Amino acid sequence: MEEQKTKRKKNKIGYFFLTLALMSTLALFGGSIYKGVQEGIELENLIILLLSTVFVIFFIFTAVIAGRKGKNTTLLASITLIIMNCFELALQFNLINMPNQKLENFTSKSLTEVVKYAEKNNIELTQIYEYSDMIEEYKIIGQNIESGTNLKKVKKLTVAVSEGANPDKEVIIPNMLTWSDEAVIKFVKENNLNNVEVEFTESAKLKNTVIEQEGTGNRKRSDLLKLTFSLGEKEEITDTKLIDLTNKSKFEAEFWLKQHAISYEIEKDFSSKVKRDYTVKQSEKPGILVKPNETKIKLTISKGPKIKVPDLKKMSMTELTEWIIKNKLKIEFTDQYDDKIKDNHVIKANYNKGDIIEQKTLISITLSKGKLKMPKLNTLDEIKSWAEKYGISYQEEYEFDSLVKKGEIIKTSHKEGETIKNGETIIITISQGKKTKVPRLTGLKKQEVIKKLKEADLNYNFVYEDNEKIEKDTVIAQSMKEGSEVSENTTITITLSTGKKKTNANNTGYVAPNKNQEKPNNNNTNNNNNNTNNNTNNTQPTCKEKTYTVGSSLRNVFMNNEGYSAMSNALYSYFASNYPNVKISVIGVADTGMSADQYVSGIKPGSKITSCNTTPYTISIAK
């Protein structure tokens, strides 16, 4: 009995550790999926992770079925598996750091080394190119993150890559008069001067010395330096043996030919053996006697090797960098999100497979940043700014919503964290606020209208129109039709009748002024009481200029009004309410092929307008 109890106890310990192993495996699987969603996970890694998890689950169930057989081995395997899973989880969530995982110092190292390092350690690498007299071309000048930084904290790295000597760097050009040819050539090489023009002319001065100079003092390497050397006197200019000019720089070869008054012409060709801007061949063999100003030598200058462009879209970042450096090309990178192209792979290039190019050609590469995920954005301005930055098209839609304030976002077509595919449009649904219905107002008196519109949470604006058939202060028309669904606090323009016109007692035919010509205060009592004040104070207040951007709420005016007259009144009312002292003119356009009241041209949402304008802004609508 005691022996059986001991066996059961041992089995329970084994099962406990097997359970822990299963739980830690599932935790590792879940944690890896979570990290993958946050940072991106490749399909092949997901498959390997899934298969490993399934294997562990089968192992655990096999150990349970086996029971006591191999129980010690099962126990050790379970403990090892638990430790391994816990260690991997701790690494994933940066709970522990392995020793020696520090960022390297890349100064003077090749760009290829840095690219390989970045790919290996999942670091987003940015390259910027700078001139350097000290650092060889395509080697690293510096980095934006200090070496020795914990590698776990490095997600992005920028390195400055040398483009070689700066062709426009300023150098001090001394007075070279009387300098020998050797001294000049040495100075040109040491200071990387790249725009030196030399001439030789007959002179009584010492042969092969500088007799004239154009350009001294602080000058760019690319600025023209013109030097004239002495050929000596006429009798000193004699036949000379042609030297071997191959593998000499273009500057040195031209210098020697001019120095001996030998005519020449230059052509350029590709060469895989002679470096760029050096002589590949000459038309006459070395050693022959050449006559000054008679024999003409043809020089072939190397363009470097002929470079055939591979399929750049199939190359990794490392392969691309190695190809650029090997062929001494210049490169510029841009990047964009692409849901079909893997991160750090080429989306497009300015040269296609099979194109022939030469050294120093600029290769423009657009690299993929992988899938673009919808970020958390709270306002319409934030979404617009983000969309414009990444070239994402967006569309605004409007809905009534009693819970979301007018002008705020109700929802977007893509949820936070969701992938935005190439060419997709983000639909932004914006609240128009709480919905209300426009009541029937035609035929009602002014006070009744005010009461009804207040009950409907609508604003109002009154205008008058001559009408002798309808009683004074009775509604003739409303800018929005009965039953229209609009946002709370929308302004409706109400047209009231002026009633019958009055004549004076002597029947002189005098007609009372049209109330439309009165100031925009329709309270007749106040106007009558204040006549004296108005007559004694005719000075108008100075208009203060202010600039506005026409809001998207203008669309509501076009959506909620029908007919030319109603639309025209509504537009005047809208601008009077929202943009004080801004003059507008509504123009009806016939024969547009559009239904009446449709927008044709003129100011619209987003237009800039200024108050106190002397020339009215126009809005053309179909008539």
Side-chain angles (χ1 to χ4, degrees):
M1 288 294 288
E2 288 297 326
E3 188 179 347
Q4 285 180 349
K5 285 181 181 179
T6 303
K7 287 177 182 178
R8 286 196 199 101
K9 187 175 180 181
K10 287 182 178 179
N11 284 346
K12 284 181 180 178
I13 293 171
Y15 293 153
F16 173 74
F17 279 101
L18 283 172
T19 303
L20 282 182
L22 177 61
M23 290 173 67
S24 64
T25 300
L26 294 175
L28 177 60
F29 181 75
S32 299
I33 294 296
Y34 173 77
K35 290 286 283 185
V37 169
Q38 298 296 312
E39 300 175 5
I41 187 169
E42 300 291 342
L43 180 61
E44 54 266 33
N45 293 337
L46 181 62
I47 292 171
I48 291 169
L49 178 64
L50 181 61
L51 291 174
S52 300
T53 305
V54 171
F55 168 78
V56 170
I57 291 171
F58 277 124
F59 160 75
I60 291 170
F61 278 105
T62 303
V64 171
I65 292 168
R68 290 190 300 109
K69 294 178 180 179
K71 60 182 181 297
N72 292 332
T73 305
T74 301
L75 183 63
L76 287 172
S78 299
I79 294 170
T80 304
L81 184 59
I82 292 165
I83 294 170
M84 183 188 76
N85 289 340
C86 291
F87 181 73
E88 182 63 28
L89 275 169
L91 283 177
Q92 277 192 9
F93 289 92
N94 298 323
L95 299 177
I96 59 172
N97 290 312
M98 293 299 293
N100 301 322
Q101 294 294 298
K102 305 292 183 183
L103 184 67
E104 291 185 17
N105 182 0
F106 298 111
T107 304
S108 297
K109 290 188 177 180
S110 74
L111 178 58
T112 307
E113 285 183 73
V114 182
V115 171
K116 287 180 178 178
Y117 183 91
E119 283 190 345
K120 179 183 176 183
N121 293 284
N122 198 29
I123 296 171
E124 184 182 325
L125 183 66
T126 300
Q127 304 169 26
I128 56 173
Y129 286 76
E130 297 177 2
Y131 292 112
S132 173
D133 289 352
M134 307 297 294
I135 305 294
E136 189 181 337
E137 194 173 13
Y138 299 113
K139 292 200 172 178
I140 306 303
I141 300 170
Q143 59 201 69
N144 69 326
I145 299 178
E146 190 177 348
S147 60
T149 302
N150 190 322
L151 202 56
K152 288 286 183 181
K153 295 180 180 179
V154 181
K155 301 298 180 186
K156 296 180 179 181
L157 177 67
T158 299
V159 292
V161 185
S162 173
E163 282 193 272
N166 183 354
D168 292 322
K169 182 180 177 181
E170 281 198 352
V171 293
I172 299 173
I173 306 296
N175 186 336
M176 297 180 178
L177 294 178
T178 73
W179 279 29
S180 69
D181 54 347
E182 287 122 351
V184 170
I185 290 172
K186 182 181 178 183
F187 182 84
V188 168
K189 283 183 177 179
E190 287 178 349
N191 289 277
N192 295 299
L193 303 184
N194 53 63
N195 193 10
V196 180
E197 185 180 303
V198 297
E199 296 296 339
F200 282 78
T201 188
E202 290 181 27
S203 171
K205 294 182 180 180
L206 184 63
K207 187 176 182 178
N208 294 327
T209 60
V210 179
I211 57 176
E212 290 180 17
Q213 176 179 356
E214 289 182 22
T216 57
N218 287 343
R219 297 173 64 82
K220 293 179 181 178
R221 287 169 171 165
S222 57
D223 288 342
L224 176 64
L225 171 61
K226 194 171 182 178
L227 300 171
T228 303
F229 287 80
S230 171
L231 270 173
E233 296 190 46
K234 190 173 183 179
E235 56 271 17
E236 293 181 88
I237 305 170
T238 59
D239 295 353
T240 187
K241 279 187 178 182
L242 182 65
I243 65 168
D244 186 0
L245 297 171
T246 56
N247 289 307
K248 288 187 179 296
S249 71
K250 179 175 177 286
F251 174 75
E252 290 176 289
E254 286 185 292
F255 192 100
W256 189 89
L257 291 169
K258 287 180 179 181
Q259 188 177 28
H260 294 87
I262 299 170
S263 299
Y264 67 94
E265 65 179 53
I266 284 177
E267 66 176 21
K268 291 190 173 185
D269 198 6
F270 289 109
S271 174
S272 57
K273 295 180 180 178
V274 178
K275 66 181 181 178
R276 183 182 174 86
D277 290 329
Y278 278 69
T279 308
V280 178
K281 61 183 178 180
Q282 58 198 66
S283 59
E284 302 294 339
K285 292 181 180 179
I288 68 165
L289 275 177
V290 289
K291 292 184 178 294
N293 302 315
E294 290 185 19
T295 309
K296 193 170 189 176
I297 305 296
K298 181 186 280 187
L299 292 181
T300 302
I301 303 298
S302 173
K303 295 197 290 185
K306 183 187 290 185
I307 303 166
K308 190 175 182 180
V309 178
D311 190 348
L312 300 176
K313 292 182 180 179
K314 291 185 177 179
M315 297 174 76
S316 68
M317 186 69 166
T318 302
E319 292 169 334
L320 185 61
T321 305
E322 288 176 339
W323 178 74
I324 293 291
I325 294 172
K326 176 185 174 183
N327 292 288
K328 296 185 177 178
L329 301 166
K330 292 182 178 292
I331 191 165
E332 65 177 7
F333 288 105
T334 55
D335 53 42
Q336 68 183 54
Y337 287 97
D338 194 298
D339 66 297
K340 294 178 182 176
I341 308 295
K342 286 183 180 179
D343 186 24
N344 249 7
H345 282 64
V346 179
I347 298 173
K348 60 183 178 182
N350 61 335
Y351 287 95
N352 299 316
K353 181 181 179 181
D355 288 347
I356 302 299
I357 58 175
E358 58 183 272
Q359 290 177 343
K360 303 299 180 183
T361 299
L362 178 66
I363 307 295
S364 297
I365 300 290
T366 302
L367 289 172
S368 172
K369 292 182 74 174
K371 296 176 181 179
L372 175 61
K373 296 180 185 287
M374 186 72 184
K376 184 177 181 180
L377 300 167
N378 298 314
T379 67
L380 182 60
D381 286 341
E382 284 180 8
I383 293 181
K384 284 181 177 180
S385 176
W386 167 82
E388 286 163 8
K389 179 180 179 181
Y390 294 111
I392 307 298
S393 60
Y394 61 89
Q395 181 180 321
E396 297 174 34
E397 292 185 353
Y398 291 83
E399 287 183 8
F400 293 108
D401 194 306
S402 59
L403 299 177
V404 180
K405 190 178 177 182
K406 186 177 180 179
E408 293 186 356
I409 296 170
I410 300 171
K411 61 182 178 181
T412 56
S413 56
H414 293 67
K415 295 178 181 177
E416 183 184 345
E418 189 175 332
T419 297
I420 299 165
K421 296 182 179 178
N422 298 348
E424 281 190 330
T425 298
I426 306 293
I427 309 296
I428 310 163
T429 305
I430 302 163
S431 175
Q432 289 181 279
K434 188 177 178 181
K435 179 171 63 177
T436 186
K437 282 190 177 183
V438 176
R440 177 179 174 78
L441 304 170
T442 307
L444 298 180
K445 300 294 286 183
K446 186 176 180 179
Q447 292 306 316
E448 293 177 279
V449 170
I450 293 172
K451 182 180 178 184
K452 273 186 171 288
L453 291 179
K454 282 185 176 179
E455 288 173 354
D457 291 318
L458 292 169
N459 297 327
Y460 51 87
N461 183 54
F462 292 112
V463 296
Y464 279 84
E465 186 177 297
D466 290 337
N467 194 311
E468 295 191 0
K469 294 180 180 180
I470 298 176
E471 189 180 348
K472 182 182 176 182
D473 285 337
T474 301
V475 177
I476 301 171
Q478 59 190 78
S479 62
M480 297 182 185
K481 67 179 181 178
E482 174 193 356
S484 297
E485 293 181 337
V486 297
S487 305
E488 277 187 331
N489 300 316
T490 297
T491 299
I492 298 180
T493 299
I494 311 299
T495 305
L496 299 174
S497 171
T498 58
K500 289 184 178 181
K501 295 179 181 178
K502 294 179 181 180
T503 59
N504 63 9
N506 295 323
N507 197 21
T508 60
Y510 171 77
V511 180
N514 189 326
K515 287 186 169 45
N516 282 330
Q517 296 173 347
E518 294 175 359
K519 294 180 183 178
N521 181 353
N522 290 312
N523 189 324
N524 294 330
T525 304
N526 289 340
N527 281 343
N528 293 332
N529 290 339
N530 291 320
N531 276 341
T532 304
N533 292 334
N534 289 340
N535 291 332
T536 57
N537 185 9
N538 292 321
T539 305
Q540 298 296 321
T542 303
C543 181
K544 291 185 179 179
E545 189 176 289
K546 186 173 181 181
T547 301
Y548 302 96
T549 300
V550 179
S552 58
S553 57
L554 179 58
R555 295 190 185 95
N556 296 338
V557 178
F558 283 98
M559 288 191 296
N560 295 319
N561 292 277
E562 289 185 2
Y564 173 77
S565 296
M567 182 64 71
S568 178
N569 288 336
L571 288 169
Y572 281 117
S573 173
Y574 172 82
F575 279 90
S577 300
N578 292 281
Y579 308 107
N581 297 318
V582 173
K583 294 178 183 178
I584 69 161
S585 175
V586 180
I587 300 172
V589 183
D591 301 323
T592 61
M594 303 167 66
S595 60
D597 70 33
Q598 293 294 300
Y599 172 84
V600 176
S601 63
I603 53 177
K604 58 185 178 180
S607 296
K608 296 285 186 183
I609 57 176
T610 306
S611 63
C612 311
N613 54 316
T614 53
T615 303
Y617 296 99
T618 60
I619 303 178
S620 298
I621 58 176
K623 190 172 183 180

